[in-house]
Amino acid sequence: ALRDSATGLAYLHSQKAIHRDVKAANLLLAADGAVKLADFGVSALSDATLARAKTVIGTPHWMAPEVIEGAAPYDARADVWSLGITAIELVKGRPPHIELSALLAMYTIVNEEAPSLDASAHDAALATFVVRCLEKSPTERATCAQLLDEAPLPADRPRLRILADAAIATAA
């Protein structure tokens, strides 16, 4: 799911767009096991360079620190932060800070250390992927293209295909 999501975001970013609301609820599972990005209602486009947005928009618990701070324009790396939060959400069943109100979660995202996955309890490649996504400094944070080049995330389509088949069977 994360490889497909990063691939989709890399394409979106190459088209000078930012999704701005990456989260598990906006990932669709196709019958062939492919994961598709959905809900482009708050995405941003730029005519010349990769969009640098100034508006605070998205779902608070998945927002990148620079989006919350609103002090400077942000770029596609804000989506990378959200992808890292989504990775934790997919592993743990909920995003970090979900027990907090939106306002307190936003304060925590900006002022505390970035969330992570314990490498001893989870796949090391996945833990590294999350660390690269959740770098607090956007200039130090990986792009989706870099994540795809450096992170050995498995293509998990066979397992997702089983989930898709089960969902189709349940719906029938």
Side-chain angles (χ1 to χ4, degrees):
L2 294 173
R3 176 176 292 286
D4 283 356
S5 298
T7 300
L9 285 171
Y11 173 76
L12 188 67
H13 298 160
S14 76
Q15 299 302 303
K16 315 289 188 249
I18 308 173
H19 188 281
R20 302 198 304 183
D21 200 20
V22 177
K23 57 186 177 182
N26 289 338
L27 301 179
L28 303 177
L29 182 60
D32 67 354
V35 174
K36 307 287 185 180
L37 289 170
D39 193 357
F40 292 87
V42 296
S43 61
L45 291 172
S46 173
D47 55 355
T49 60
L50 190 58
R52 296 188 70 81
K54 295 181 182 177
T55 55
V56 178
I57 194 162
T59 307
H61 293 82
W62 288 262
M63 281 184 187
E66 65 272 19
V67 175
I68 295 167
E69 289 174 318
Y74 56 88
D75 62 20
R77 292 177 197 230
D79 281 346
V80 174
W81 175 278
S82 299
L83 182 60
I85 297 298
T86 301
I88 293 173
E89 177 188 14
L90 291 171
V91 169
K92 295 187 173 185
R94 54 188 241 160
H97 316 304
I98 196 66
E99 71 283 356
L100 304 177
S101 69
L103 191 57
L104 188 52
M106 291 177 6
Y107 176 85
T108 302
I109 291 165
V110 170
N111 293 296
E112 292 189 8
E113 288 187 29
S116 62
L117 288 175
D118 181 359
S120 66
H122 301 286
D123 179 76
L126 177 60
T128 299
F129 178 88
V130 169
V131 166
R132 294 288 287 137
C133 289
L134 298 183
E135 174 61 50
K136 293 278 278 212
S137 169
T139 58
E140 298 296 318
R141 195 175 305 143
T143 64
C144 283
Q146 289 170 330
L147 289 169
L148 290 166
D149 285 344
E150 63 190 41
L153 290 173
D156 48 5
R157 289 234 179 127
R159 184 170 36 133
L160 291 175
R161 173 64 192 227
I162 293 167
L163 291 172
D165 289 346
I168 292 167
T170 302

